[in-house]
Amino acid sequence: GESVGLHLPTLSVQEGDNSIINCAYSNSASDYFIWYKQESGKGPQFIIDIRSNMDKRQGQRVTVLLNKTVKHLSLQIAATQPGDSAVYFCAESFIEIIFGKGTRLHILP
Amino acid sequence: EAQVTQNPRYLITVTGKKLTVTCSQNMNHEYMSWYRQDPGLGLRQIYYSMNVEVTDKGDVPEGYKVSRKEKRNFPLILESPSPNQTSLYFCASSLSGGRVTNEKLFFGSGTQLSVL
């Protein structure tokens, strides 16, 4: 079975608000984590990554938080825009990469 | 433009008719991999290759073959497709081996396969 999962299959957010997508992982030895964005009809695209020696990493409008104590990963998207509408999934890596099932982010006008 | 190119984007075939899905990357990546994506199951790895002439089974290799004769190409072969192989397939690559060095994967646009 999957060792990486997401708490919600669908998340609806008002345009302009911040989005928070959560992910739980099970392998405490995982030392590299990635968030991907998959738009309809396209392949997954890398958004941001974080290594286990960090607890926060920021990109352009996105922030990834890593809590190794509870094995939790989150992706925060600031000022959500219509173009952010997609499925987001996390991946954990230690020797092999395991992907979560994904959360669909739906933007409300 | 750096990319992973898969062909075809859509394919409808019948049970037992051999098919090949091509994958090519222009980034000189050593590592390439095939995944299938099914509703509720996420991405599952079929086969991967750490370098030319080196291929290994992933989590769901049954019914599939791959080859890595050249660095840039990694075709996926279904010798005798069955309906349970109807899925969305993605090829991916990374610089030197996502499994070992923890590098991000670059994905192709996907191939939607339907086996009737």
Side-chain angles (χ1 to χ4, degrees):
Chain A
E2 295 286 337
S3 72
V4 177
L6 290 159
H7 294 309
L8 293 172
T10 304
L11 176 66
S12 295
V13 175
Q14 204 77 36
E15 182 178 347
D17 287 354
N18 297 335
S19 302
I20 300 177
I21 301 171
N22 295 306
C23 179
Y25 65 95
S26 61
N27 187 356
S28 56
S30 291
D31 56 3
Y32 180 58
F33 305 88
I34 315 159
W35 279 100
Y36 287 93
K37 173 186 181 182
Q38 186 175 14
E39 297 175 274
S40 181
K42 296 184 179 180
Q45 291 179 288
F46 170 88
I47 303 174
I48 192 168
D49 58 1
I50 188 169
R51 298 194 183 274
S52 59
N53 61 351
M54 304 172 68
D55 52 21
K56 180 179 180 179
R57 191 165 187 219
Q58 288 185 289
Q60 189 176 15
R61 277 203 310 120
V62 294
T63 301
V64 55
L65 298 176
L66 175 63
N67 186 331
K68 293 182 288 292
T69 303
V70 294
K71 291 184 285 189
H72 184 267
L73 191 68
S74 69
L75 176 70
Q76 300 179 2
I77 305 173
T80 309
Q81 303 169 356
D84 295 328
S85 179
V87 173
Y88 292 81
F89 54 92
C90 61
E92 63 173 312
S93 178
F94 177 72
I95 306 298
E96 62 178 352
I97 298 171
I98 299 174
F99 294 92
K101 294 184 177 62
T103 291
R104 180 173 298 280
L105 180 62
H106 180 59
I107 314 302
L108 302 171
Chain B
E1 181 188 353
Q3 59 185 1
V4 179
T5 304
Q6 292 178 231
N7 279 297
R9 286 296 306 274
Y10 303 94
L11 180 58
I12 300 175
T13 190
V14 295
T15 299
K17 186 176 182 182
K18 180 180 178 179
L19 65 92
T20 300
V21 184
T22 63
C23 175
S24 178
Q25 51 91 6
N26 62 1
M27 295 170 279
N28 202 35
H29 283 173
E30 292 185 354
Y31 179 87
M32 297 185 75
S33 180
W34 276 103
Y35 295 88
R36 59 178 290 173
Q37 188 177 42
D38 302 288
L41 297 176
L43 283 164
R44 293 181 292 168
Q45 190 174 50
I46 302 170
Y47 268 96
Y48 66 98
S49 169
M50 296 295 286
N51 213 326
V52 176
E53 301 292 359
V54 180
T55 63
D56 283 293
K57 295 178 180 179
D59 300 315
V60 287
E62 294 77 21
Y64 304 95
K65 285 175 56 178
V66 292
S67 69
R68 188 88 183 275
K69 293 184 172 60
E70 307 163 280
K71 198 171 188 178
R72 63 181 292 128
N73 296 322
F74 191 45
L76 178 70
I77 303 155
L78 284 72
E79 294 272 5
S80 182
S82 61
N84 64 12
Q85 293 178 298
T86 292
S87 186
L88 179 59
Y89 291 86
F90 288 103
C91 180
S93 72
S94 69
L95 186 59
S96 57
R99 282 197 164 219
V100 176
T101 61
N102 292 335
E103 294 181 344
K104 62 187 181 188
L105 289 166
F106 292 83
F107 285 86
S109 297
T111 296
Q112 180 64 58
L113 172 65
S114 296
V115 183
L116 306 177

